[in-house]
Amino acid sequence: MKNIVIFGAPGSGKGTQSDKLIEKYGLNHISTGDVLRSEIKKGTELGKTAQKYIDQGQLIPDDLMVSILASVYDSFGEHKGVIFDGFPRTIPQAEALKQMLRERGDKVAAMIELDVPEDELMKRLILRGQQSGRADDNEETIKKRLVVYHTQTQPLIQWYSQEGIHYHIDGLGELDRIFEDICKVMDQI
């Protein structure tokens, strides 16, 4: 089983590369944003609880997020692996994910980091905002998101390095070359 964490700053190409991995390797995909919207839309107890936090402008507590992820993970039944996209974002979340998977006899096989220079991230996100109309893809919000990434999320690189499962991918350049580099990692784990 190839459970992986696809990792990188906003705009690094996680969603694009996840789609390609799903197609090639038959993996399931858990995007925390998609999962939360789905649970809320379905009106599940977890979704209702999450909505209360969102309505108050608060972050969803790690234990609730892990419960939601565990529920989705368990719903896959037998599978080839899962791409975790957007989770974990902090070291406590990484520890909680590790524990959740351990309880199921599973683990994260690799953390694949897509590394893209900040000036390129800005260009990509502003373009995405213009093309998609995403309200959070404006320069001011992007700068705030990148500060949060550098202060809270980037320390996961060191954490996963210590776990021995961090793989650095140059996320700048030709889309197919980036995917080939990811496939080299996938084929060795």
Side-chain angles (χ1 to χ4, degrees), residues 22 28-35 65 68-70 72-74 76 82-87 100:
I22 291 163
N28 290 298
H29 182 239
I30 298 178
S31 163
T32 51
D34 293 346
V35 167
M65 196 67 233
I68 292 171
L69 291 176
V72 174
Y73 188 85
D74 293 343
F76 293 141
V82 172
I83 301 167
F84 292 94
D85 177 358
F87 191 90
M100 185 272 285

Side-chain angles (χ1 to χ4, degrees), residues 123-177:
K123 283 189 239 174
R124 289 181 185 183
L125 290 168
I126 289 169
L127 180 63
R128 183 174 80 181
Q130 292 167 347
Q131 293 174 339
S132 71
R134 273 183 62 165
D136 62 338
D137 284 340
N138 63 70
E139 193 168 343
E140 184 180 330
T141 305
I142 293 165
K143 285 179 181 177
K144 289 178 184 173
R145 289 166 61 203
L146 290 173
V147 167
V148 170
Y149 170 77
H150 291 305
T151 58
Q152 295 180 20
T153 307
Q154 206 167 23
L156 283 170
I157 295 169
Q158 179 65 28
W159 192 86
Y160 277 111
S161 292
Q162 291 172 339
E163 293 280 304
I165 57 173
H166 167 254
Y167 297 88
H168 177 270
I169 302 290
D170 179 359
L172 187 61
E174 169 77 22
L175 187 68
D176 289 336
R177 192 271 312 149

Side-chain angles (χ1 to χ4, degrees), residues 20-185:
K20 293 173 80 64
L21 286 166
I22 291 163
E23 184 179 330
K24 179 168 181 170
Y25 293 97
L27 301 175
N28 290 298
H29 182 239
I30 298 178
S31 163
T32 51
D34 293 346
V35 167
L36 284 173
R37 284 186 288 277
S38 174
E39 292 292 312
I40 290 166
K41 186 177 179 183
K42 287 191 259 178
T44 66
E45 286 306 311
L46 291 171
K48 289 175 187 173
T49 304
Q51 185 67 56
K52 289 177 188 172
Y53 285 98
I54 292 167
D55 289 345
Q56 295 171 7
Q58 297 176 337
L59 292 175
I60 294 166
D62 290 351
D63 59 341
L64 176 59
M65 196 67 233
V66 171
S67 294
I68 292 171
L69 291 176
S71 174
V72 174
Y73 188 85
D74 293 343
S75 75
F76 293 141
E78 289 292 316
H79 58 87
K80 295 178 180 179
V82 172
I83 301 167
F84 292 94
D85 177 358
F87 191 90
R89 291 185 184 206
T90 63
I91 291 170
Q93 288 179 356
E95 291 167 342
L97 177 62
K98 183 178 179 179
Q99 178 62 32
M100 185 272 285
L101 290 172
R102 182 185 302 131
E103 290 168 1
R104 289 155 177 76
D106 294 334
K107 64 180 182 175
V108 171
M111 184 271 251
I112 299 174
E113 173 203 0
L114 299 174
D115 185 19
V116 178
E118 198 154 312
D119 60 333
E120 177 65 17
L121 294 171
M122 288 294 289
K123 283 189 239 174
R124 289 181 185 183
L125 290 168
I126 289 169
L127 180 63
R128 183 174 80 181
Q130 292 167 347
Q131 293 174 339
S132 71
R134 273 183 62 165
D136 62 338
D137 284 340
N138 63 70
E139 193 168 343
E140 184 180 330
T141 305
I142 293 165
K143 285 179 181 177
K144 289 178 184 173
R145 289 166 61 203
L146 290 173
V147 167
V148 170
Y149 170 77
H150 291 305
T151 58
Q152 295 180 20
T153 307
Q154 206 167 23
L156 283 170
I157 295 169
Q158 179 65 28
W159 192 86
Y160 277 111
S161 292
Q162 291 172 339
E163 293 280 304
I165 57 173
H166 167 254
Y167 297 88
H168 177 270
I169 302 290
D170 179 359
L172 187 61
E174 169 77 22
L175 187 68
D176 289 336
R177 192 271 312 149
I178 296 165
F179 186 62
E180 285 174 22
D181 290 351
I182 294 170
C183 290
K184 288 175 190 171
V185 172

